[in-house]
Amino acid sequence: MTTRSLLLLPGDGIGPDIMAEVQKLIDWMNTNLDAGFTTEEGLVGGSAYDAHGVAISDEDMAKAMAADAVLFGAVGGPKWDDVPYEARPEAGLLRLRKDMELFANLRPAICYPALSDSSSLRKHLIEGLDILIVRELTGGVYFGEPKEITDLGNGQKRAVDTQVYDTFEIERIAGVAFELARTRDNRVCSMEKRNVMKSGVLWNEVVTEIHGRKYSDVKLDHMLADAGGMQLVREPKQFDVIVTDNLFGDMLSDVAAMLTGSLGMLPSASLGAPDAATGKRKALYEPVHGSAPDIAGEGKANPIAMIASFAMCLRYSFNMIDEADRIEKAISNVLESGKRTADIMADDSTQISTGQMGDAIVIQMAALSP
Ligand code: IPM
Ligand code: MG
């Protein structure tokens, strides 16, 4: 029988609440579909700091490197506001991304029909929305050196972050965007700030070059990232795949997420390059939303983004396309039936808890499975 190894890193805040709902699905799939998932757990973020004094231990890092895929909940919370910068909860996530070389972050923003009234935009603008943001995840200003605050000695300090991209980094993320576009509506919009930034000039050049050389069947547009942000809220359905750098991708994906009604709905996949020998990619799957410490442990968190991240894991790490489709359909059916967690409540809906949402999705999954 196949075994599929998963490392679960629930993290902080609502992380454990939503991970528990994925565990239900894993158990169900093992029992009913012989899926052969094996799971280990590790600590990341504030919970790792409390236990080990670091945002992720070397031991848990090694487990992440060895697993077929990592499922990540969320990190952070006011409890850790004063820990040293190097050990802040987010540092655990950034180390995972960097050490596992997860350069490609896929953030789909789809609007479930049942939620088309929950968006901050008018219904006709977001009904049927299906865009994919491909965010570069291991370069740019997140990791560029120098990154420091120096004392200028005259009562002033100077803070420096470095935005830096090499050709190969832009080429490989553009390649991912073009390949994925071919499986969708075959259109890519690349966003940068070439009017102000040298990294934007190179970004634009490299994307254009690789497009001409390898992907000229895909329709390519370029947009300045600020204009891109404006277009995302003006007419989001004009986009198919958006490819952009680490920082712009961070901001634009939050904007895109909110268009769909709630930040609690959106999954993401972070992928490395295929291994030369096995073809397997290192991978981490996480919801786009954060740790929401104010509602942790109260049964109020929406587990859908986490569960949809698990569906992405089935799709991209295990090639279990039918099963991934079924989970996504199960989520959609539960929403259609009017069951909602607090964040997406509407007048004619029934409010349910985190656990009840997980149960409802498992029941739908069972109903949809042969
Ligand atoms: C995200 C988050 C992270 C980021 C934080 C938690 C470091 O906002 O995944 O979008 O900035 O990349
Ligand atoms: Mg973000």
Side-chain angles (χ1 to χ4, degrees):
M1 200 179 90
T2 349
T3 61
R4 302 181 163 103
S5 65
L6 297 172
L7 176 67
L8 311 185
L9 295 175
D12 310 321
I14 59 169
D17 305 4
I18 58 178
M19 193 65 81
E21 304 313 309
V22 169
Q23 185 73 59
K24 288 179 186 168
L25 257 178
I26 293 173
D27 293 343
W28 185 87
M29 289 180 70
N30 277 346
T31 308
N32 297 281
L33 306 178
D34 261 340
F37 289 114
T38 59
T39 58
E40 273 198 282
E41 270 211 35
L43 294 174
V44 66
S47 56
Y49 180 78
D50 290 344
H52 307 298
V54 286
I56 186 163
S57 67
D58 290 343
E59 204 174 89
D60 283 340
M61 241 351 277
K63 285 188 200 165
M65 299 294 271
D68 289 329
V70 178
L71 301 181
F72 181 100
V75 289
K79 183 177 173 200
W80 302 284
D81 276 351
D82 297 324
V83 308
Y85 185 79
E86 294 67 35
R88 72 200 188 287
E90 291 78 8
L93 177 58
L94 295 175
R95 179 168 176 204
L96 282 159
R97 290 176 180 172
K98 193 67 177 172
D99 289 8
M100 293 171 74
E101 294 180 76
L102 306 173
F103 70 89
N105 183 218
L106 317 186
R107 298 192 160 182
I110 61 159
C111 182
Y112 290 94
L115 291 188
S116 54
D117 283 320
S118 311
S119 174
S120 44
L121 292 193
R122 274 167 297 155
K123 188 171 176 149
H124 75 273
L125 290 172
I126 48 102
E127 227 170 14
L129 180 77
D130 179 0
I131 61 188
L132 176 65
I133 297 190
V134 177
R135 168 188 176 193
E136 200 291 326
L137 203 61
T138 50
V141 77
Y142 271 61
F143 297 99
E145 294 287 346
K147 188 178 197 63
E148 62 192 10
I149 299 176
T150 46
D151 200 324
L152 298 179
N154 56 355
Q156 296 285 305
K157 291 181 183 176
R158 177 170 293 154
V160 181
D161 291 285
T162 304
Q163 163 82 343
V164 49
Y165 273 107
D166 289 359
T167 304
F168 80 95
E169 295 177 284
I170 304 169
E171 252 176 20
R172 66 183 179 179
I173 192 69
V176 169
F178 288 125
E179 304 263 349
L180 286 167
R182 281 178 175 160
T183 69
R184 301 167 45 95
D185 202 35
N186 217 28
R187 295 181 292 121
V188 169
C189 183
S190 168
M191 295 187 188
E192 30 62 16
K193 282 280 291 177
R194 66 185 178 282
N195 54 347
V196 183
M197 299 166 78
K198 288 291 183 186
S199 56
V201 172
L202 185 66
W203 183 281
N204 184 279
E205 254 174 50
V206 173
V207 172
T208 304
E209 191 278 331
I210 194 179
H211 172 254
R213 185 156 46 85
K214 287 175 75 177
Y215 301 104
S216 54
D217 57 300
V218 181
K219 183 171 183 304
L220 171 65
D221 290 306
H222 299 277
M223 230 178 241
L224 297 174
D226 55 342
M230 182 273 284
Q231 289 298 340
L232 259 179
V233 293
R234 193 183 78 93
E235 200 195 331
K237 282 193 266 184
Q238 71 186 281
F239 297 110
D240 180 29
V241 176
I242 293 172
V243 64
T244 189
D245 79 9
N246 205 343
L247 183 61
F248 294 141
D250 182 44
M251 298 193 291
L252 295 171
S253 62
D254 264 25
V255 173
M258 197 56 222
L259 295 179
T260 68
S262 163
L263 217 48
M265 304 295 298
L266 287 208
S268 80
S270 304
L271 308 176
D275 181 88
T278 63
K280 278 189 79 81
R281 294 174 184 270
K282 289 213 180 348
L284 178 146
Y285 300 87
E286 58 168 318
V288 172
H289 63 71
S291 60
D294 50 317
I295 58 163
E298 290 182 11
K300 288 188 187 155
N302 182 350
I304 289 180
M306 187 74 241
I307 291 173
S309 299
F310 178 58
M312 289 189 89
C313 171
L314 300 183
R315 192 178 297 284
Y316 292 107
S317 284
F318 300 116
N319 202 29
M320 299 169 85
I321 310 297
D322 284 353
E323 290 83 349
D325 287 346
R326 265 183 269 153
I327 292 178
E328 284 161 8
K329 181 82 180 127
I331 292 171
S332 184
N333 286 356
V334 170
L335 292 171
E336 280 310 324
S337 76
K339 294 189 175 129
R340 304 288 163 83
T341 44
D343 58 314
I344 47 174
M345 253 317 269
D347 288 344
D348 48 356
S349 313
T350 317
Q351 189 169 325
I352 59 172
S353 67
T354 310
Q356 289 169 322
M357 180 57 90
D359 291 341
I361 292 171
V362 172
I363 289 169
Q364 269 302 311
M365 177 68 178
L368 291 167
S369 296

